[in-house]
Amino acid sequence: QVRSVESGGGSVQAGGSLRLSCVASGYTFSKVCMGWFRQAPGKEREGVATLITIDNESKTFVKDSVKGRFAISKDNAKNSLFLQMVNLQPDDTAMYYCATVPTRNFDGCHFESAYWGQGTQVTVSS
C-alpha cells in the first residue's frame, strides 16, 4: 500500500519561508502524479502544486495564487517530494497534505483516488 509522510511545517512570520517534505513508499510505477494540497479551518481543500513524473521526466504545475512563491520538486534518490515556499502570507496558513497517484498508463492525475499523508501544519502570522 502506498504511504506518504509529510514534514517541514511550522510557524513563521509573514515573509518567511518553509520547505515541506513528503517521503513516499509502497509503489514502483514509473508514472506517478504527486501533489501538495492544503486545507485551512472552515475552508475547502485546494490543490497548490502538482508534479507529474513519466519515465524519469517530470513536469510541474503550480496554482496561480501561489505562482512565484511556491515551487514543487522531487528527489528520486530519496523518494521524496518537496514544496519550497517563500514569502509566506497569513492566507497560506493551513494543513498541507501530500497526495500520490501511481499509474501504469498516464491519463491525467486522478487525485480523487490518491493516497494521502497525514499532513503537516503551516502557520503564518502577520
Side-chain angles (χ1 to χ4, degrees), residues 27-124:
Y27 72 94
T28 58
F29 295 101
S30 62
K31 302 176 180 65
V32 61
C33 294
M34 300 189 74
W36 287 99
F37 294 75
R38 66 185 182 186
Q39 186 168 24
K43 298 183 179 180
E44 295 184 350
R45 184 190 69 190
E46 64 174 352
V48 296
T50 300
L51 188 151
I52 302 170
T53 298
I54 302 177
D55 299 329
N56 296 318
E57 295 187 1
S58 298
K59 294 183 178 180
T60 62
F61 304 90
V62 181
K63 183 178 177 65
D64 287 344
S65 63
V66 300
K67 283 183 178 178
R69 299 192 298 115
F70 289 15
I72 188 170
S73 62
K74 64 180 177 65
D75 184 335
N76 289 333
K78 299 180 180 180
N79 200 29
S80 300
L81 182 75
F82 304 101
L83 183 67
Q84 180 67 54
M85 306 182 292
V86 301
N87 193 24
L88 284 161
Q89 301 298 311
D91 285 347
D92 296 318
T93 295
M95 184 72 77
Y96 284 70
Y97 299 90
C98 173
T100 302
V101 187
T103 64
R104 290 185 178 275
N105 298 292
F106 179 78
D107 66 344
C109 296
H110 301 280
F111 286 113
E112 67 273 10
S113 59
Y115 297 91
W116 297 87
Q118 294 185 341
T120 185
Q121 179 68 41
V122 171
T123 302
V124 185

